[in-house]
Amino acid sequence: ENADSATATTGAIRNHVGEPLVVLTDVEKFFGELHVLQNINLTIGKGEVVVVIGPSGSGKSTLCRSINRLETIQSGTISIDGVPLPSEGNGLAKLRADVGMVFQSFNLFAHKTILDNVTLGPIKVRKLSNAEARKRGMELLTRVGVQDQAEKYPAQLSGGQQQRVAIARALAMNPKVILFDEPTSALDPEMVNEVLDVMVDLARQGMTMVVVTHEMGFARKAANRVVFMADGQIVEEADPDTFFTAPKSARAKDFLSKIL
Ligand code: ADP
Ligand code: MG
């Protein structure tokens, strides 16, 4: 058996957690009357891998989107590496380079080649030369195992390959943290592990990651901490072994009984 597989239970990774990198303080977010994030306080350290789980509609995507400033919060603060989120302009492009995001639906540029997908951001935002960006882009495509697809277009790749490209595209910006919002939910089952394995590798290399997922194998393997959300609140947080074997809240017990 491959001990590196995301589903293997042996050899858990527990990254060293450094200084605070992503800090949310008293965050409140509404969609109209709907109080979608309620009094969120969360500190994610450098190198930490945080898995966010919870029922559909509990605010997990909104949490990720708020950290990336794709949504605006109504009160509280979010800072990245000590700097409050910018509201507009050049600051936003820099923020989105520092805070990578991988979505459920891949979100690659359909009319750009795979290599262009990973080089455009670094050229535009990080001011890399074409040659540098292509060299680094090929290294990253190799790292996620899709180097042979570099000149193809996204629609020519499988879902698993596209999601690995999306991870390479995030990495190309040298982000401080990568947010993953259900990165394997839209994949055919046989492609889930090829994406989780890339994520496990990133964790092993010390990447700071916030991962919304119901893949408990990944959480057990790589998470420092599991954050359980329900109804816009953080209801419970614990290390994965504690959370999965001895959840405290009734909400978490109920949720786990349905997915495990
Ligand atoms: P999760 O990712 O945990 O399933 P979401 O963050 O997507 O939850 O959604 C939380 C709640 O906010 C849900 O009730 C959802 O319907 C609502 N919601 C999400 N996005 C919007 C939006 N753009 N406008 C209005 N309501 C939204
Ligand atoms: Mg969601």
Side-chain angles (χ1 to χ4, degrees), residues 31 34 36 55-62:
F31 286 118
L34 185 66
V36 61
S56 177
S58 56
K60 306 177 301 294
S61 292
T62 305

Side-chain angles (χ1 to χ4, degrees), residues 57 60-62 104 181-182 212:
K60 306 177 301 294
S61 292
T62 305
Q104 182 174 340
D181 190 2
E182 303 206 30
V212 178

